[in-house]
Amino acid sequence: MKFLLLSLFLIFILIHPINPQNAPPNHQDVDHIEDIEVDETQVIITTTKHGPVENLKIHIELVDIEANKKVNPVDLSGLWLTITRGRYTIPFLRPDTWYGVRFRSENLINGHTVIHEDERLIKTRPRGAEPNLGVALMGIPPSLGIQNAPYPTAPVWTTFSPNFGQIAPNLGISGPTGPPETHFSGLEHPKMPGNPGNAPKTHVDPPKPQNTAEHNAIDVKMHRSLDGVENFESLYVTVGWKEAEQEKRTNLTTGVVKLRVICDNSETKEEIKLKGDEDSVTIEITMDQKYDIEEMDTAKHQIKAHITPLKCHKICWTTDLVLSSGFGDFTKHLGSECKEISGTTSTTFLRNVKKVSVIENNLSENELVVETEVQESEYGIVTLILQKLGGNETEEPIKKTFDTASSNGRFVVPVEDDAIYAVIYNYVKTKPFHYTSKAHFLVESPAVNSTKPSHPLVDVSVIPTSFDYKHDKPDTVLKPEPPFLLISRSKNYPLSDLLVKIEPFCNETEQKFRLEDRYPQHQIDAVPFLCGLNPKMYFCNKNATTWQKCDSTLCFSTSVLIGLDSFEADVSFY
């Protein structure tokens, strides 16, 4: 069965071969505007000549923007186009006046109706103005300066890290809609009745772009300073009328700048509309930055930041001039441009923690006091987070935030009596650029009528507790084990993992060990220390001539381990 169908299809192809001449035409097969020559009181529109003339129809109308009225339209078809086709003159115009031009060509090609529509914005030359020969030689109308140019074909945009600020409202860009074969910038042609395949194919041909920065009435600037304040992390884009255009613009005039921020794997866009009664509009573009920090002065905590865009490195824009009338809006493309987003550098001072302590205030209440200093006035935020140890593990930590601009550098948080807290000090400097630092420490809030909490993190004891055994006993008598120091995690903090550091003690090197559920205690040999005090104790070597006397103070520090963070307390003594 499949073979039979394939054979019938091949026979059909042989009997009815596909004729390329019967293929549906496209918009290139009808007349287009090539140039518009602008004079004081007339314009001459030059077009291409595509397709036969027998069924060609040309419609041209001009709209006087300021007067808000139409100029007598031009409608030509049949024999009239045999002579005038390709060059159309519209006279009796006002000098130095904006006109909107609508051009429509329609032709019947291979049984298909093809329509092309185009819109332009032109301005007649002032009376007595000299033609610009250099511009004219380049094919640009002397007083127009540029032909209209198309909007760039819009890709599917993916929003990335750049976020536009709210200095100016967001003005979106809507893409074209309509049937697949219909692209309108002006009037929509009604569908023909009957077979949809015979409906007219209408195409609006956007004008060709030309670089005309010298004729651009709108100025676009990228900058980092606004109202005298330098912003090293954001970028401002200001759109404004050039001075030469200040007296020429009206409420009918709108400048439209379409921005594209180009990033590594995406783009984002924004449209800025500048009204005729506005001098300028500014938007802020924020994006992710890369910071290379260089220390300048360690003693003063001074740093220099080299700031460059992380993923977005270029901004491109197109500039259009739009004039409104009662018969629609008309657009003149002024130009396109791209610029790289350069990096910058900034130097600043960081806030330094001078002292952390728990003191009693005038109301006999304990307070945590963090004293800081900085070499300059600054904008920043300090956040203190306090987690009480040994309490209910579901107990919420204490959190308090301070604005450094309105503080004296002293940050205070009330705490309970007789408690130990793990404290997170989080510092964020917001200007001239963002910089974050963090510190961890343990603080002890003493018990009432005491200088220390009643329950320290570790317990230290000597085993055995007494040394009454004498050397004069026979060697055959079983002697006690040599003494040792026992350091163990306090039973009041069963959920805390501790890291203990013993400073060098009696010829012993520094020791570090961890106290946790598997190893809640640790032993340290006490023989050298005790024999230095009394060499006649039973565990001392009787043949030793001398024992070095050691400092009787054991110094150690304790850190609490919470997750990957370590909270260190001050040195303790025993």
Side-chain angles (χ1 to χ4, degrees):
M1 185 63 179
K2 293 182 179 178
F3 177 77
L4 179 60
L5 292 175
L6 180 60
S7 300
L8 291 175
F9 176 75
L10 293 175
I11 293 173
F12 178 81
I13 293 297
L14 293 174
I15 297 176
H16 302 281
I18 297 176
N19 186 357
Q21 295 183 351
N22 293 327
N26 56 48
H27 70 279
Q28 297 294 338
D29 296 327
V30 293
D31 294 7
H32 290 63
I33 293 178
E34 282 189 331
D35 190 19
I36 300 181
E37 181 181 344
V38 183
D39 208 337
E40 295 177 0
T41 59
Q42 69 176 20
V43 295
I44 301 174
I45 301 175
T46 303
T47 70
T48 60
K49 300 177 182 179
H50 292 302
V53 73
E54 292 82 5
N55 298 302
L56 177 63
K57 297 179 182 179
I58 298 294
H59 174 81
I60 302 173
E61 67 179 36
L62 271 68
V63 175
D64 187 325
I65 303 294
E66 184 178 354
N68 195 29
K69 68 177 183 179
K70 288 185 179 181
V71 178
N72 291 334
V74 175
D75 283 293
L76 298 172
S77 61
L79 295 177
W80 291 104
L81 288 171
T82 305
I83 301 173
T84 62
R85 185 183 189 186
R87 186 176 175 86
Y88 310 96
T89 301
I90 294 93
F92 311 121
L93 303 180
R94 295 194 300 156
D96 197 21
T97 302
W98 286 104
Y99 287 92
V101 178
R102 285 199 176 101
F103 174 85
R104 175 188 174 95
S105 61
E106 179 180 335
N107 209 343
L108 183 64
I109 302 174
N110 298 332
H112 296 271
T113 299
V114 182
I115 298 173
H116 167 72
E117 292 180 346
D118 195 357
E119 289 188 355
R120 303 288 178 97
L121 179 62
I122 64 172
K123 189 176 185 181
T124 53
R125 288 196 292 115
R127 192 176 298 278
E130 293 293 332
N132 187 335
L133 296 180
V135 176
L137 289 175
M138 291 189 295
I140 305 175
S143 63
L144 177 59
I146 182 171
Q147 296 186 23
N148 289 348
Y151 292 135
T153 302
V156 178
W157 300 101
T158 303
T159 302
F160 191 63
S161 53
N163 299 311
F164 293 96
Q166 299 300 323
I167 296 179
N170 288 334
L171 302 169
I173 305 174
S174 59
T177 59
E181 296 189 32
T182 305
H183 308 281
F184 296 110
S185 65
L187 300 175
E188 182 176 349
H189 191 284
K191 293 184 179 180
M192 300 295 291
N195 189 346
N198 293 327
K201 297 184 178 179
T202 304
H203 180 84
V204 175
D205 186 31
K208 298 179 180 179
Q210 297 186 23
N211 187 7
T212 58
E214 59 179 324
H215 301 282
N216 200 333
I218 299 173
D219 191 25
V220 180
K221 292 182 179 179
M222 296 166 51
H223 55 99
R224 294 187 181 273
S225 179
L226 186 66
D227 297 331
V229 179
E230 196 79 11
N231 191 331
F232 295 94
E233 296 179 306
S234 296
L235 189 68
Y236 298 111
V237 176
T238 296
V239 175
W241 298 106
K242 290 187 175 179
E243 292 184 4
E245 301 295 325
Q246 295 292 333
E247 298 179 358
K248 298 180 182 179
R249 68 182 193 263
T250 67
N251 291 335
L252 303 176
T253 308
T254 303
V256 179
V257 176
K258 297 174 182 177
L259 294 175
R260 292 187 302 138
V261 181
I262 301 175
C263 306
D264 289 344
N265 300 308
S266 64
E267 293 183 0
T268 189
K269 65 183 180 180
E270 177 76 345
E271 181 178 278
I272 306 173
K273 288 189 176 181
L274 178 64
K275 298 179 181 179
D277 57 355
E278 295 176 316
D279 291 332
S280 63
V281 174
T282 299
I283 67 168
E284 181 182 6
I285 303 173
T286 59
M287 62 190 75
D288 293 335
Q289 305 285 347
K290 176 184 176 183
Y291 300 87
D292 292 324
I293 304 298
E294 174 186 354
E295 287 193 6
M296 302 293 292
D297 189 330
T298 304
K300 296 181 179 179
H301 301 275
Q302 185 183 33
I303 63 171
K304 177 189 284 187
H306 302 269
I307 307 170
T308 54
L310 180 62
K311 296 182 179 180
C312 304
H313 307 286
K314 184 189 293 185
I315 293 182
C316 296
W317 62 84
T318 60
T319 309
D320 297 318
L321 185 65
V322 180
L323 269 70
S324 302
S325 74
F327 303 95
D329 295 341
F330 294 89
T331 301
K332 172 185 174 183
H333 181 64
L334 301 179
S336 301
E337 191 173 354
C338 289
K339 284 189 177 181
E340 298 291 329
I341 304 175
S342 59
T344 185
T345 60
S346 177
T347 302
T348 189
F349 294 90
L350 301 179
R351 185 169 291 274
N352 176 45
V353 177
K354 292 172 53 181
K355 184 179 179 181
V356 178
S357 58
V358 175
I359 62 175
E360 188 177 280
N361 61 19
N362 296 331
L363 300 177
S364 299
E365 296 173 341
N366 287 344
E367 294 177 333
L368 168 65
V369 180
V370 179
E371 299 179 44
T372 66
E373 64 179 357
V374 68
Q375 297 292 324
E376 62 184 1
S377 60
E378 69 161 8
Y379 295 90
I381 296 173
V382 168
T383 303
L384 294 176
I385 303 175
L386 286 69
Q387 179 66 61
K388 183 180 177 181
L389 302 181
N392 189 342
E393 61 179 353
T394 60
E395 185 177 352
E396 289 293 326
I398 303 171
K399 183 177 181 180
K400 194 170 183 180
T401 300
F402 306 87
D403 183 356
T404 63
S406 58
S407 74
N408 59 359
R410 194 170 183 267
F411 310 112
V412 179
V413 180
V415 293
E416 298 179 13
D417 295 339
D418 196 14
I420 299 178
Y421 292 90
V423 180
I424 298 176
Y425 168 86
N426 193 37
Y427 166 58
V428 179
K429 190 180 186 74
T430 55
K431 288 185 179 181
F433 56 87
H434 280 75
Y435 183 90
T436 301
S437 65
K438 185 181 290 188
H440 304 90
F441 36 82
L442 283 179
V443 295
E444 298 180 347
S445 178
V448 178
N449 298 325
S450 176
T451 59
K452 294 183 179 181
S454 56
H455 302 291
L457 289 171
V458 296
D459 296 325
V460 182
S461 57
V462 179
I463 306 296
T465 57
S466 63
F467 310 102
D468 295 334
Y469 189 83
K470 302 299 182 182
H471 271 306
D472 54 0
K473 292 185 178 182
D475 293 338
T476 56
V477 178
L478 184 63
K479 299 178 181 180
E481 291 290 330
F484 58 89
L485 293 177
L486 182 65
I487 300 178
S488 57
R489 182 178 65 181
S490 172
K491 61 182 180 180
N492 294 289
Y493 308 98
L495 302 177
S496 300
D497 291 347
L498 308 180
L499 181 64
V500 180
K501 182 176 71 174
I502 305 292
E503 295 187 2
F505 172 69
C506 202
N507 296 330
E508 296 290 336
T509 59
E510 179 183 270
Q511 297 185 49
K512 289 183 179 179
F513 51 88
R514 185 165 175 165
L515 301 179
E516 53 186 8
D517 291 342
R518 292 181 300 171
Y519 307 103
Q521 58 188 20
H522 183 81
Q523 295 182 10
I524 296 178
D525 184 13
V527 170
F529 166 69
L530 294 175
C531 291
L533 296 176
N534 184 4
K536 295 183 178 181
M537 292 186 180
Y538 71 90
F539 46 79
C540 298
N541 186 353
K542 292 183 291 184
N543 298 322
T545 57
T546 58
W547 288 89
Q548 179 181 354
K549 290 188 177 182
C550 303
D551 189 345
S552 60
T553 302
L554 176 69
C555 302
F556 63 93
S557 61
T558 308
S559 301
V560 175
L561 304 177
I562 302 177
L564 299 177
D565 297 326
S566 176
F567 299 79
E568 187 172 351
D570 293 334
V571 176
S572 300
F573 305 96
Y574 178 76

